[in-house]
Amino acid sequence: MIVTIDGVAASGKSSVASGVASALSIPYVSSGLLYRAATLLALEAGTSLSDAPALLSLLGAAPLRLEPLAGGNRIYLDTPDCPRELTADAHTSAVDAGVSALAQLPQLREWVNARLRALTPPFVAEGRDMGTAVFPQARAKFFLVASPRVRALRRVKERVGDVEAVEQALIARDEQDQLQSHPAADAQIIDTSDLDLAGVIAAVMAGVQERA
Ligand SMILES: Nc1ncnc2c1ncn2[C@@H]1O[C@H](COP(=O)(O)OP(=O)(O)OP(=O)(O)O)[C@@H](O)[C@H]1O
Ligand SMILES: Nc1ccn([C@@H]2O[C@H](COP(=O)(O)O)[C@@H](O)[C@H]2O)c(=O)n1
């Protein structure tokens, strides 16, 4: 079984995916973490985020390993001499600001999608195009939205920041991600603005049970 949870930036995809995956006793897979890790490595190496061949060459030499657990995804660079966990560094403002440029490149999308499709179900997959491009066969599909202000207020509770600036950055990232971020025709759209996390998880679980 595959359940997909897509949505706009900071709409609660990973928190909801984690809750749903725990309720179903299966892992969840964060596709965004692969885009983020690729961006982090490119920024650190000084590789242009729009140079697909250079990025693919960099990633070809980088033994990245995604650990998809129900409680939270982690990503590692498994170099034999200096193994390193990248998860925290992949969630900085610098990565937030650069990731959409890399994610626009079809070759990089294929690189990520190949890794996702190699995973063995069951799992909950979260991102932007899980229900449309990557797992169109998924049993149940959801697309989360919430107002930019609500998302910014939630984000500043977890990372220090100015609400206005965070809101503008979220709006900018939504615009840059527009091409790949839309609900599948058979997805249930959930506006989480007035729901708490438990309420969103319950709504998704109800939708999953309907399709069992
Ligand atoms: N319904 C909700 N009510 C209150 N807080 C929420 C809700 N959903 C998510 N949050 C909080 O909002 C923040 C962003 O959620 P989360 O990181 O899951 O979003 P995301 O869509 O995965 O983000 P990103 O697109 O940046 O990866 C987190 O602090 C999370 O706890
Ligand atoms: N399926 C996806 C997932 C992510 N992206 C890009 O990665 C960025 C970070 O994703 P988060 O889910 O961690 O916010 C996102 O802004 C997109 O640029 C994507 O294109 N497709």
Side-chain angles (χ1 to χ4, degrees):
M1 174 180 65
I2 299 176
V3 173
T4 59
I5 300 180
D6 291 305
V8 292
S11 55
K13 300 179 298 294
S14 47
S15 312
V16 174
S18 176
V20 170
S22 298
L24 295 171
S25 300
I26 60 178
Y28 90 87
V29 176
S30 167
S31 55
L33 196 48
L34 284 166
Y35 288 104
R36 286 176 177 278
T39 303
L40 173 67
L41 293 180
L43 291 175
E44 289 183 350
T47 305
S48 162
L49 295 174
S50 57
D51 185 344
L55 290 166
L56 289 178
S57 153
L58 177 75
L59 294 171
L64 279 175
R65 176 170 57 90
L66 180 70
E67 193 174 64
L69 304 172
N73 279 213
R74 298 188 168 279
I75 196 150
Y76 300 90
L77 183 62
D78 277 343
T79 38
D81 51 333
C82 185
R84 174 183 163 207
E85 180 173 357
L86 305 177
T87 316
D89 291 343
H91 286 93
T92 59
S93 303
V95 172
D96 278 359
V99 62
S100 300
L102 176 146
Q104 280 172 17
L105 304 172
Q107 300 94 321
L108 271 292
R109 301 201 70 77
E110 270 316 305
W111 179 87
V112 168
N113 294 347
R115 267 141 200 86
L116 297 171
R117 293 190 184 115
L119 300 170
T120 306
F123 51 74
V124 178
E126 62 94 354
R128 301 293 186 293
D129 58 348
M130 297 298 97
T132 50
V134 186
F135 300 117
Q137 78 282 20
R139 181 187 291 181
K141 302 178 185 178
F142 303 88
F143 194 90
L144 307 186
V145 295
S147 73
R149 180 48 64 117
V150 165
R151 289 184 278 142
L153 286 167
R154 288 175 183 165
R155 186 117 278 175
V156 295
K157 278 193 192 162
E158 58 174 355
R159 289 188 218 164
V160 182
D162 169 68
V163 178
E164 275 298 333
V166 171
E167 183 178 354
Q168 289 313 311
L170 288 174
I171 291 170
R173 191 146 66 95
D174 288 348
E175 279 172 10
Q176 286 176 291
D177 290 339
Q178 242 180 56
L179 212 57
Q180 66 265 29
S181 304
H182 52 90
D186 51 350
Q188 183 181 335
I189 299 172
I190 303 176
D191 187 336
T192 79
S193 303
D194 297 320
L195 291 172
D196 64 12
L197 190 51
V200 184
I201 293 168
V204 170
M205 284 304 294
V208 171
Q209 309 302 351
E210 269 172 28
R211 286 161 196 256

